[in-house]
Every structure is written in structure tokens, then in C-alpha cells.
Amino acid sequence: MSIRTRLLLPILAIPTAALADAPRVMTDFGPTQSIVADLMSGVALPEVLLTPGDDPHDFTLRPSQARTLSNADVVIWVGPALTPWLVDPVANLSGDAVGLPLLETEGWEILPTRGTEDDDHDDHEDSHDDHDDHDHDDHDDHDDHDDHGHDDDHDEDKHDNHEHDEDNHDAHHGHDHGDSDPHAWLDPAIASVWAGEIAATLTTLDSENAQTYADNLAKFQADMTQLTADLAAITDDVDGSRLILPHDSFQYFEVSTGLVPAGFISNAEDADPGPQHLRGLREQVTSGAVTCVLHESPTDAEWADVLIEGTDAKSALLDVTDRAEVGYAAMMRQLAETLRDCAN
């Protein structure tokens, strides 16, 4: 039985009357919500579990969020490799809801995770040498996939978050993605493939709005073709060797644009950088080879400050988790423009 068939089986038994209203769609975090919102334009706005500032890799659902999730008709999320904490809630709290883990869709190439927790500066350079040999034409296959607040809640939330903090107080900072890099939304060609699966799922749930979903999908996929060209143009003159990024989660963007940074503050698992690795990055900054160190969070910002201290190098915020009100295409253009502006 295919993944798609297995995912859609629960909805085949839902009475037609239950599909009269727009499906209640829950997404995991901002980028997913943005893609789904474009496909549901004119129908409804999908909900999102994580708010800005929440870490998608390490999170504990609050009771109010669990209740919202339990009312969903479909849960669209990147998948267990990015949000392992969502596996059990999707299975246990969402009832008869359809689960659509986007990493399990077909028609695109998933990339392996680069590096390990013990990576030093030379390891990062080696990974990029290998990356330069990657065949960018592999992504041509993407184009062939066209068918495709109450007080009680407040108290409960505080209690749950307190327990979560204590449980993780001594935990090592970082997360394990396994062998596959889950940050695939950073390539518009992959987002286009995912959109086909999302639109098909929504159409099965809500046949009355099938034409709207089809029209929105056609527009979205055309926009992704244009976005791919736009990102390449924005980054065309950017010297990636002048940039250090927060952590090694941008290889899909690298494949899409050809821009390869000098290195990363932390590795693919977002583990705290070691002294040897920091010394290597610092040497690149003090030599003038690197002129911009980017960060995504307050912790990254602290490392960035250490790396640029006493130099003319700049730092900048790199936000790749914006929500539906910003829009996927706008988020991606902002990413490219931030890299361009900080490098120059």
C-alpha cells in the first residue's frame, strides 16, 4: 500500500455531509502554514501549532494546543525528522484526522544530513567541496509532479512548560535528524511538489472547493518557478564565502541557488559549537574573509557577537519560520535579500 493511499484511507469513510464545510487544517509551523494558506486561499486559513520564537525541533504541546489539534480534520507537517515531538500527538490526539507528513511524499530528492556533532571547521569545508559536485539538474524532476484564552488553560500551560524546562535543564543542546535533512522547504521546487500532495489531500476532503484548490495549485507552482529564478538572481553576485550561517540547515537553498556559505555556527543537529570549531570560524572573520555572521535565535546571536567582536564584520537576523501572513514566497525572497545585503 502506498504512503498516499495509507494517508487518505481514513477520509474515504467520512460522510459527504461532513465535508460540506471547509476542512479544519492544522500545520506544524510557519513555512508549512504559508504553503497551505496559499493553496486554501478563498476557502479558509489553516491553523498553526508553533508561534514565532518556538523551536520546531524541541517543543512540548500545551493543553490548549493539544485540544486544538484534536479537532483537526487534517494535520499537515514536515515530518518526524523535524518535529519528533509531534509524532505521538498526531497519532493519539487528532482522532480520525488525516496525517500528511510532507517528507514522505514522492517526486523529490531528500538530501542526507551533513556532518556530525564533532565537526570542526575543516569538516564543514569538506562537506561543501562535496556539495559543489552535486548535480543541480536532479531537481528537474520536480517539474514533472504537476498532478499533483481561559485562565485554566493559562495555568495548565505554565505548569506544562515548567515541567518541560526541568526535564530539559541538563539536556544537551541539539537535535538528531538522523540520516536525512528535513529542511526541504528551503527549495521552492520541493515546495511545489509538496503543494501538489497538499492540494490532492484537500480536494479529497473538500470536493466542493476542488476547482479553487486546482486554481490555487496552478498559481502556486507557477509562482515557485518564478521564485526559483528570482532567488538565483538575487544571490547571483553574492560571494557565499563571506557568510557564516546559524546552523547547517540550508543545503536545499544551496542546491536551489548555488550559493555556498563559508561555514555554520553549529552543525545540522544544532549542537553547541566546540572551541576548535569556533576558533576556525573566528579566524575567518578576523582575517577579513568572512564579513557577515547570521543568526536565527538569541543563542545564535550570542555566538555571532563572539565571532565578530573587534572586527568590521556584521551580523544579521535570518528568519526562515515566518507565518502565513508573510507568505512563503515573501519569506524566501527576504532570506535571499538578507544574505545579499549582509555579504555586501
Side-chain angles (χ1 to χ4, degrees):
M1 181 182 297
S2 69
I3 293 172
R4 178 174 169 76
T5 302
R6 173 166 49 84
L7 289 172
L8 293 180
L9 278 177
I11 62 176
L12 298 180
I14 298 177
T16 303
L19 301 178
D21 297 328
R24 294 165 296 186
V25 178
M26 177 61 70
T27 59
D28 48 1
F29 76 140
T32 311
Q33 186 196 29
S34 295
I35 296 170
V36 178
D38 283 345
L39 297 172
M40 296 188 72
S41 178
V43 178
L45 179 67
E47 297 185 73
V48 63
L49 283 172
L50 301 188
T51 58
D54 290 335
D55 182 359
H57 308 99
D58 183 17
F59 188 76
T60 297
L61 284 179
R62 295 183 286 273
S64 56
Q65 292 172 309
R67 285 193 289 272
T68 302
L69 180 62
S70 68
N71 292 324
D73 295 314
V74 58
V75 181
I76 302 174
W77 55 312
V78 173
L82 182 72
T83 54
W85 50 269
L86 194 49
V87 174
D88 288 341
V90 168
N92 300 326
L93 295 176
S94 55
D96 293 329
V98 177
L100 181 59
L102 297 170
L103 290 175
E104 296 183 13
T105 61
E106 300 176 351
W108 62 283
E109 177 191 3
I110 193 164
L111 300 177
T113 299
R114 297 186 296 204
T116 66
E117 184 175 328
D118 296 324
D119 282 350
D120 60 18
H121 172 62
D122 290 336
D123 291 332
H124 282 295
E125 287 189 335
D126 290 342
S127 72
H128 287 302
D129 289 342
D130 293 340
H131 178 68
D132 287 340
D133 295 332
H134 184 89
D135 185 358
H136 288 216
D137 291 336
D138 289 344
H139 283 261
D140 291 344
D141 293 340
H142 295 160
D143 296 333
D144 298 330
H145 199 73
D146 290 341
D147 60 338
H148 274 76
H150 298 289
D151 290 339
D152 288 342
D153 283 349
H154 179 69
D155 292 340
E156 286 180 291
D157 293 350
K158 285 176 61 179
H159 178 70
D160 271 23
N161 286 336
H162 175 70
E163 289 182 345
H164 176 64
D165 290 341
E166 287 191 347
D167 289 342
N168 288 280
H169 179 72
D170 296 321
H172 176 73
H173 177 62
H175 47 271
D176 184 3
H177 290 317
D179 296 330
S180 300
D181 186 340
H183 305 89
W185 70 88
L186 292 172
D187 183 342
I190 295 175
S192 182
V193 174
W194 287 3
E197 294 294 329
I198 294 167
T201 300
L202 293 173
T203 299
T204 305
L205 280 165
D206 182 21
S207 59
E208 290 187 3
N209 287 306
Q211 189 59 54
T212 299
Y213 297 134
D215 293 344
N216 288 343
L217 174 62
K219 181 180 185 304
F220 184 86
Q221 293 185 325
D223 288 347
M224 292 305 98
T225 300
Q226 183 61 52
L227 178 61
T228 298
D230 291 347
L231 296 180
I234 293 170
T235 60
D236 183 52
D237 295 327
V238 177
D239 183 355
S241 68
R242 301 173 71 84
L243 299 168
I244 291 175
L245 302 189
H247 83 285
D248 189 0
S249 61
F250 292 88
Q251 65 170 325
Y252 290 97
F253 185 83
E254 296 169 35
V255 169
S256 178
T257 64
L259 186 150
V260 179
F264 308 90
I265 294 177
S266 61
N267 64 10
E269 297 177 0
D270 204 15
D272 287 340
Q276 181 180 353
H277 178 61
L278 288 173
R279 279 195 298 270
L281 296 179
R282 173 71 176 171
E283 288 172 4
Q284 292 188 86
V285 177
T286 55
S287 70
V290 166
T291 57
C292 174
V293 181
L294 296 112
H295 59 89
E296 294 175 296
S297 69
T299 300
D300 296 333
E302 292 175 2
W303 293 122
D305 289 342
V306 169
L307 293 177
I308 68 174
E309 183 178 3
T311 73
D312 293 329
K314 301 179 289 186
S315 66
L317 174 66
L318 198 60
D319 189 353
V320 292
T321 58
D322 281 332
R323 301 173 69 179
E325 56 265 28
V326 176
Y328 175 80
M331 179 193 74
M332 294 298 294
R333 287 192 179 91
Q334 184 179 44
L335 164 61
E337 290 167 357
T338 299
L339 296 176
R340 177 198 63 195
D341 296 345
C342 200
N344 295 331

